[in-house]
Amino acid sequence: MRGLRSLDRSERFLFYTGLVMAASEIWKQWTLTFVLGGGSYNWWYFPFQLCSVPMYLLLLLPVVHASRLRRIFLTFLMDFSLLSGIGAFLDTSGMHYPLPALTCHSYLWHLLLIAVGIFCGLPAISDHTWHGFSSSVILFAVLCSAATVINLTIGRTHDIDMFYISPYYQMSQVIISDLTRGFPNPVRILCYLAVIVFGAFLLHLFWQHLFLVRNRKK
């Protein structure tokens, strides 16, 4: 694969990680549909949550020829995906399934998100500048827009809540739902998204201090 040869060692490792994630996600979807669902697909488990996006970004690395765009992907993984992996353990109720193997898969998936986020933050493959962060926020906005389109189209006939921002469901995310209980649901969704961006901002600040600030002092 020509695109794969253009990647450096770190990017190739991440791409292969994406392949492993994709293989495990295919197994998960098959199990949910044919083992637990009796052959009927449950759109609630459609893989386009914030925790699912890293799989797609990693698989796209060989396809994206612009190194600047690849750095945006990796910066997003360093900030937003690391946050989603950590945040999942604040409320593990959504990680439990009737089948223990699926529960194990869910825990391992989110631990892998944390590992990938740290891996992207440690090497010099991500953009630790504020420009890098703003670019990852734009990518987050694009992904939220895509999730909204999915929610508005498929959500008319099936249960689906991508990124947990569907207008058809009340905000139910832990802590945020309690703090914004008196607000209209659209405002609660915006607060939820703002908290995600702020959390990614804090992680980016950490990475920036760890590398840029320390290097300047040296």
Side-chain angles (χ1 to χ4, degrees):
M1 183 186 295
R2 182 179 180 182
L4 186 58
R5 290 197 298 268
S6 67
L7 304 179
D8 60 30
R9 289 182 61 185
S10 297
E11 292 172 336
R12 283 198 296 271
F13 173 77
L14 289 170
F15 169 70
Y16 292 134
T17 301
L19 288 178
V20 173
M21 296 176 75
S24 71
E25 182 62 35
I26 291 172
W27 168 81
K28 173 186 174 182
Q29 295 296 321
W30 184 89
T31 303
L32 286 169
T33 302
F34 296 103
V35 177
L36 296 181
S40 177
Y41 185 72
N42 189 342
W43 284 94
W44 187 264
Y45 297 111
F46 183 72
F48 197 79
Q49 299 287 7
L50 186 58
C51 294
S52 308
V53 165
M55 174 182 66
Y56 301 112
L57 296 182
L58 294 178
L59 292 176
L60 284 173
L61 288 177
V63 182
V64 177
H65 298 291
S67 59
R68 179 176 175 275
L69 185 54
R70 291 203 300 268
R71 282 174 66 85
I72 293 174
F73 284 5
L74 299 179
T75 304
F76 180 91
L77 295 171
M78 176 183 76
D79 295 332
F80 286 90
S81 296
L82 176 57
L83 177 68
S84 67
I86 296 173
F89 288 94
L90 296 177
D91 180 14
T92 60
S93 59
M95 297 164 62
H96 291 261
Y97 296 83
L99 196 64
L102 286 173
T103 300
C104 182
H105 172 272
S106 184
Y107 274 85
L108 291 176
W109 182 281
H110 290 90
L111 287 172
L112 184 58
L113 291 185
I114 296 174
V116 167
I118 294 174
F119 183 83
C120 290
L122 292 178
I125 58 176
S126 301
D127 189 346
H128 297 93
T129 67
W130 289 122
H131 177 73
F133 176 70
S134 62
S135 298
S136 66
V137 171
I138 293 174
L139 176 57
F140 176 64
V142 171
L143 293 169
C144 286
S145 299
T148 300
V149 171
I150 295 173
N151 289 332
L152 292 177
T153 53
I154 300 177
R156 295 176 181 177
T157 55
H158 298 85
D159 293 330
I160 191 169
D161 192 8
M162 301 296 94
F163 277 47
Y164 301 105
I165 58 174
S166 172
Y168 301 128
Y169 297 92
Q170 290 294 314
M171 169 56 56
S172 60
Q173 292 301 288
V174 63
I175 301 177
I176 302 299
S177 61
D178 294 330
L179 294 176
T180 61
R181 192 175 301 277
F183 298 158
N185 198 50
V187 176
R188 301 175 76 190
I189 291 175
L190 290 176
C191 289
Y192 170 63
L193 295 177
V195 168
I196 293 177
V197 173
F198 181 68
F201 163 80
L202 292 179
L203 283 175
H204 195 85
L205 193 64
F206 165 77
W207 292 118
Q208 192 177 73
H209 178 77
L210 190 63
F211 289 99
L212 294 183
V213 176
R214 288 187 179 182
N215 288 339
R216 286 172 183 170
K217 289 181 178 179
K218 292 180 181 179

